[in-house]
């Protein structure tokens, strides 16, 4: 193990000495690599990505669309959320749709509607 340390120290000393004894030229540049040439050529060409003309960008407001109510999507959870948000009319409409969708629970939905109709708007 100690021998490895000694060898490494001598090796490092030899590299340091070689660097000190090598004359440094001021304007000397390392030879240009193939990758560097490709990058320079790319930068000089200043390429631009163009949008295909036949494809029109979709400018619709997706955030607004996602926040709009969907008439076909009704759940008890949605009705409860409307109730918690004090959107009682929306909750009543949702429960009415649920009554049609699930006739076996229509008594429950009717009682929910009755409670909501008693609340102030």
């Amino acid at each position: 193990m100690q021998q490895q340390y000694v060898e490494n120290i001598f090796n490092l000393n030899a590299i340091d000495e070689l660097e000190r004894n090598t004359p440094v030229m001021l304007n000397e540049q390392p030879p240009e690599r193939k990758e560097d040439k490709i990058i320079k050529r790319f930068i000089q060409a200043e390429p631009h990505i163009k949008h295909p003309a036949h494809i029109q960008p979709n400018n619709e407001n997706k955030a607004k669309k996602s926040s709009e109510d969907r008439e076909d999507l009704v759940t008890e959870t949605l009705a409860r959320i409307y109730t918690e948000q004090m959107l009682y009319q929306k909750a009543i409409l949702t429960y009415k749709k649920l009554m049609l969708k699930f006739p076996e629970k229509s008594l429950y939905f009717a009682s929910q509607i009755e409670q909501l109709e008693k609340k102030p708007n």
Side-chain angles (χ1 to χ4, degrees):
M1 184 77 161
Q2 188 174 4
Q3 184 179 355
Q4 285 181 332
Y5 289 130
V6 173
E7 287 176 7
N8 285 336
I9 290 171
F10 283 120
N11 190 20
L12 291 174
N13 288 339
I15 292 172
D16 288 341
E17 188 176 325
L18 181 64
E19 287 176 351
R20 273 187 257 125
N21 293 334
T22 305
V24 177
M25 298 186 164
L26 290 176
N27 292 327
E28 183 180 327
Q29 294 180 359
E32 195 168 30
R33 297 182 338 209
K34 180 181 176 183
E35 294 87 358
D36 294 333
K37 289 179 184 178
I38 292 170
I39 292 170
K40 279 185 181 178
R41 192 172 356 131
F42 180 82
I43 292 171
Q44 288 172 349
E46 295 183 17
H48 297 284
I49 298 173
K50 295 181 181 173
H51 193 65
H54 66 280
I55 299 175
Q56 295 295 322
N58 187 354
N59 293 331
E60 74 176 307
N61 187 342
K62 292 187 172 138
K64 182 181 178 187
K65 187 176 180 182
S66 70
S67 68
E68 293 172 352
D69 290 334
R70 289 184 47 196
E71 298 295 323
D72 57 339
L73 180 67
V74 290
T75 63
E76 288 183 60
T77 305
L78 181 61
R80 276 188 249 123
I81 290 170
Y82 285 149
T83 304
E84 289 174 10
Q85 293 175 344
M86 291 190 265
L87 299 170
Y88 301 127
Q89 292 303 316
K90 285 187 174 188
I92 290 169
L93 287 173
T94 304
Y95 279 124
K96 286 181 179 179
K97 290 176 186 176
L98 286 168
M99 286 174 75
L100 297 172
K101 193 172 180 180
F102 302 105
E104 66 275 5
K105 294 177 88 177
S106 61
L107 287 176
Y108 169 74
F109 296 140
S111 69
Q112 294 296 320
I113 292 170
E114 189 177 313
Q115 288 177 6
L116 289 170
E117 287 174 342
K118 292 178 183 176
K119 295 190 180 217
N121 290 340

